[in-house]
Amino acid sequence: MRNQEVADILYQIADILEIQGEIQWKFLAYRRAARTIENLSENIADVLGKQKLPGVGKAIEEKVGELISTGKLEYFEKIKKAIPPIVIEMTEIEGIGPKTAKLIYDAIKIKSIKDLEKAARSHRIQRIKGIGPKMEKAILKGLSNLKKPKRHLLGVILPIANEIYNELKQVKEVKQISLAGSIRRRRETIRDIDILVTSDKPEKVMQFFTTLDLVKKVVVKGPTKSTVNVRSDIQVDLRVVEDESYGAALQYFTGSKEHNVPLRTMVAQMGYKLNEYGVFLKETDEKVAGKTEDEIYKLFGMVWIPPELREDRGEIEAAQANSLPNLVELTDIRGDLHIHSNYSDGKSSIEDMVETAKKRGYKYIAITDHVGSVKIAGALDETTLQNQISHIRELDQQEKEIRIFAGAEVNINLDGSLDLSEDTLDQLDIVICSLHSKLRMSRKEITNRIINALSNEYLTILGHPTGRLLNKRQPSDIDLIAIFEVAKEHGKILEINAYPSRLDLNDVNSRTANQHGVLLAIDTDAHSSGQLRFMDLGVSVARRGWLERNDILNTLPLEALCKKLRIK
Ligand SMILES: [Zn+2]
Ligand SMILES: [Zn+2]
């Protein structure tokens, strides 16, 4: 059982307990344990009972043990029955928490989501005590989102896709294999996983695919195309094509539609026809290419276009002119400058983070825990931060392979000042400044707030600039162009935060920032050593933003970085 699956069940237990009106500490304990487990870098089965897990007490530990060894939890099955299924179903809707679901159910005994929608439309929900018009509106919005097919975060989907890819790659009947579709283009959210292979024995490949351990349900099993579900609701499509058509199929199924439509129009004007089977002469239907993507693009007078760029944002013209960017790669990254340790809300010690960073081949990292008077996310007070700085300096003295910078993630106050004394700021090597409160100020107010912060000499990097959370929170209403101009003027760096739910700045905004001459840093915001791997996601955003190595701060060698940031 995966950590996320265990965590999901603990979250559900917490919700049920909250609905049942259990005392607060009890359901909060389940949520805390769930959070610990989903952030673990090790497999829960390997460490349970052997290692003290913060927030996982004896009782929950036993339940997790039962879950892992039997795949089921009797307690969960029992309490699930005590709650009408519709109440649990309601909590899946954005805008409805367990408490609200219970309020609604107790007031009007709805039986289905349809009933809920009817009640909301006729404004019966807002009359329920403790709800009101604002919440009713949020519920209606949540209901309309429910109808759209769910998009999963790239950071959740990519490891699963890679796991399936690696398993299939081992199969001797599989000749060529690639991810396709939006996941190959590394879009920030993904509807389903597409995989393409070539094989002389497609039935063998399909047999293997549909019986993989991860597979929860086989939706369709065919000779050349099969669809399965993994992890309850993630769809995976596998297609087997012929070697002769592999490039054409890959090009076709990678998309995007926005890229393929103008490409096909252009191709038609040149006298060709392009489809998933190959490139054909329009006149005679003779096949002239299709084996590789490279030969297809070449035939049309272009260089091969990296999948991340295939969005119809100028890549076709650039490929014709042979002026595509030389995209930054994961191996260009030399360090990570936004990392939390267990001093604040992180799960790993500074030493663990350093070890993992060394294994990744990094030459520097910055420890940037939350600090300040706003007591969020285990924020340190200044005295503790002072102790941490000494701790870091000591470690850094002993380290030969990697430089450890002392940093902090500092809140930007409402007026744009920083929530930390100048004395302390002055001692830090890296100061990440972020908005963590009042993200809904007016466009003018919030833009000025950020501009003021960017004018502060101590700010090194503006963290997660727009504050959006994928599938959860819209970005703040900010005049980004104004921000880019000020950042450029003061030589400040903007972040591409690689945390899966953030990816902030996004691809388009990163590109615009770069066009305004702003340097970007790709940081993971890791809260455990395992999360340092999120760097990959940040690099994907940068690539989709047409960025090259020199556009990214943390591709610099240590010495150049210190010079750039004036670190001694
Ligand atoms: Zn933050
Ligand atoms: Zn952070």
Side-chain angles (χ1 to χ4, degrees):
M1 208 171 216
R2 271 146 219 284
N3 293 359
Q4 192 60 55
E5 289 172 279
V6 174
D8 285 345
I9 288 175
L10 297 183
Y11 278 127
Q12 286 184 51
I13 293 176
D15 285 352
I16 293 172
L17 294 178
E18 190 175 354
I19 293 166
Q20 287 178 328
E22 258 299 347
I23 28 177
Q24 207 183 28
W25 66 264
K26 216 167 164 184
F27 61 80
L28 288 183
Y30 277 95
R31 258 178 224 148
R32 206 174 309 124
R35 227 173 299 127
T36 296
I37 292 171
E38 76 183 342
N39 283 326
L40 268 183
S41 25
E42 304 89 351
N43 194 323
I44 178 71
D46 298 333
V47 292
L48 190 77
K50 292 178 199 137
Q51 175 181 320
K52 175 95 198 73
L53 301 170
V56 184
K58 257 266 143 321
I60 297 182
E61 189 181 292
E62 270 169 28
K63 292 192 175 75
V64 172
E66 181 185 331
L67 248 179
I68 294 172
S69 55
T70 67
K72 253 188 149 176
L73 179 58
E74 209 166 305
Y75 172 72
F76 175 53
E77 301 301 322
K78 198 179 87 195
I79 63 168
K80 231 175 19 182
K81 279 188 201 128
I83 299 283
I86 180 65
V87 179
I88 298 173
E89 220 180 303
M90 271 195 277
T91 61
E92 317 248 296
I93 298 165
E94 213 181 298
I96 304 188
K99 238 163 101 189
T100 312
K102 175 99 175 5
L103 275 176
I104 296 174
Y105 183 78
D106 287 347
I108 41 175
K109 294 268 178 285
I110 56 164
K111 290 201 179 63
S112 66
I113 297 293
K114 244 199 177 123
D115 289 351
L116 175 71
E117 193 170 354
K118 253 192 246 157
R121 288 205 186 287
S122 56
H123 302 304
R124 276 189 293 141
I125 301 286
Q126 57 168 279
R127 291 200 293 270
I128 298 170
K129 196 163 173 267
I131 292 199
K134 216 169 153 188
M135 204 179 264
E136 185 181 77
K137 221 172 142 196
I139 291 171
L140 276 167
K141 186 153 174 257
L143 281 165
S144 73
N145 284 344
L146 205 60
K147 286 179 190 145
K148 297 182 197 145
K150 197 173 165 202
R151 297 196 70 96
H152 306 274
L153 303 186
L154 176 66
V156 173
I157 288 273
L158 195 54
I160 299 172
N162 283 335
E163 190 176 336
I164 300 172
Y165 171 92
N166 287 328
E167 295 232 29
L168 286 171
K169 214 177 157 146
Q170 310 292 322
V171 179
K172 67 173 189 303
E173 285 83 4
V174 169
K175 286 159 78 184
Q176 302 190 73
I177 176 164
S178 175
L179 297 179
S182 54
I183 198 162
R184 183 167 179 237
R185 304 195 318 274
R186 301 291 193 267
R187 261 190 76 163
E188 60 191 29
T189 57
I190 308 283
R191 196 162 293 152
D192 44 38
I193 301 172
D194 288 303
I195 305 177
L196 203 65
V197 306
T198 66
S199 173
D200 299 330
K201 295 196 173 112
E203 354 33 86
K204 281 253 165 86
V205 177
M206 287 309 182
Q207 182 58 27
F208 186 86
F209 172 64
T210 51
T211 53
L212 281 171
D213 263 358
L214 284 132
V215 171
K216 286 266 157 73
K217 187 175 147 199
V218 178
V219 184
V220 186
K221 186 181 171 192
T224 57
K225 190 193 163 199
S226 294
T227 299
V228 301
N229 285 346
V230 300
R231 278 262 310 265
S232 78
D233 60 347
I234 297 170
Q235 187 175 311
V236 189
D237 291 330
L238 177 70
R239 283 187 183 81
V240 182
V241 300
E242 313 221 329
D243 275 310
E244 288 307 303
S245 307
Y246 182 64
L250 196 53
Q251 200 287 325
Y252 181 90
F253 290 112
T254 296
S256 65
K257 217 196 283 147
E258 288 71 21
H259 171 81
N260 283 352
V261 168
L263 185 70
R264 277 201 289 270
T265 315
M266 188 195 94
V267 166
Q269 283 160 358
M270 296 167 77
Y272 295 107
K273 202 173 70 190
L274 168 67
N275 60 30
E276 58 184 287
Y277 304 104
V279 185
F280 303 86
L281 288 175
K282 243 200 316 203
E283 300 254 299
T284 59
D285 243 356
E286 184 197 338
K287 187 169 174 178
V288 288
K291 259 187 145 162
T292 67
E293 282 191 333
D294 202 47
E295 73 173 22
I296 295 172
Y297 282 109
K298 212 172 264 164
L299 181 69
F300 304 140
M302 286 181 261
V303 291
W304 178 80
I305 302 176
E308 294 94 330
L309 299 184
R310 299 184 197 172
E311 300 289 347
D312 192 26
R313 294 173 183 161
E315 71 278 8
I316 293 177
E317 296 76 7
Q320 284 170 323
N322 195 12
S323 63
L324 286 173
N326 194 355
L327 298 179
V328 59
E329 298 193 24
L330 185 59
T331 48
D332 293 328
I333 301 293
R334 309 248 170 116
D336 195 335
L337 299 173
H338 184 167
I339 289 174
H340 296 271
S341 76
N342 57 5
Y343 269 84
S344 69
D345 61 342
K347 300 283 181 271
S348 306
S349 64
I350 299 175
E351 287 81 355
D352 280 350
M353 286 296 193
V354 170
E355 281 316 306
T356 310
K358 274 165 40 183
K359 276 187 208 136
R360 295 184 65 88
Y362 287 167
K363 295 299 170 206
Y364 47 85
I365 60 167
I367 304 297
T368 56
D369 277 310
H370 297 283
V371 288
S373 56
V374 186
K375 285 282 158 262
I376 48 138
L380 315 183
D381 56 33
E382 296 216 25
T383 322
T384 319
L385 178 60
Q386 291 290 349
N387 294 338
Q388 190 191 41
I389 295 173
S390 318
H391 180 183
I392 290 172
R393 300 290 182 223
E394 219 168 278
L395 278 178
D396 188 46
Q397 284 273 309
Q398 300 157 12
E399 244 342 304
K400 299 217 164 53
E401 272 176 63
I402 191 168
R403 174 82 188 265
I404 313 161
F405 295 126
E409 182 173 8
V410 183
N411 299 316
I412 299 174
N413 294 327
L414 293 187
D415 61 358
S417 61
L418 303 184
D419 183 17
L420 194 65
S421 77
E422 288 208 359
D423 268 357
T424 310
L425 283 165
D426 200 40
Q427 296 170 45
L428 296 169
D429 306 316
I430 303 275
V431 181
I432 309 263
C433 299
S434 319
L435 257 45
H436 288 119
S437 61
K438 287 264 185 202
L439 304 180
R440 292 282 159 258
M441 291 164 97
S442 75
R443 183 177 175 89
K444 201 166 158 223
E445 284 173 317
I446 204 157
T447 305
N448 281 334
R449 183 177 171 194
I450 298 173
I451 286 177
N452 282 342
L454 286 170
S455 316
N456 190 307
E457 61 170 312
Y458 292 109
L459 178 147
T460 323
I461 299 173
L462 178 67
H464 44 76
T466 76
R468 66 115 174 231
L469 292 176
L470 283 164
N471 290 349
K472 278 204 190 113
R473 187 167 74 206
Q474 292 296 315
S476 295
D477 184 13
I478 304 170
D479 181 351
L480 280 175
I481 302 297
I483 300 295
F484 297 156
E485 279 164 2
V486 176
K488 162 77 181 154
E489 184 192 328
H490 295 289
K492 301 297 189 184
I493 289 136
L494 299 195
E495 184 177 66
I496 296 177
N497 187 299
Y499 204 81
S501 54
R502 291 196 181 271
L503 304 185
D504 180 11
L505 295 173
N506 68 10
D507 49 1
V508 173
N509 290 333
S510 300
R511 188 175 178 192
T512 315
N514 175 250
Q515 286 163 340
H516 281 80
V518 178
L519 193 60
L520 294 141
I522 308 176
D523 305 327
T524 60
D525 205 349
H527 283 66
S528 70
S529 55
Q531 294 183 345
L532 288 174
R533 72 181 147 81
F534 293 160
M535 186 57 77
D536 187 24
L537 306 170
V539 170
S540 296
V541 173
R543 290 172 65 87
R544 288 178 57 85
W546 292 55
L547 302 188
E548 305 192 343
R549 192 178 64 196
N550 291 341
D551 303 324
I552 307 294
L553 171 76
N554 46 321
T555 61
L556 286 176
L558 176 62
E559 228 169 277
L561 180 98
C562 290
K563 205 169 150 211
K564 173 102 206 152
L565 300 179
R566 281 182 247 112
I567 300 172
K568 276 170 250 117

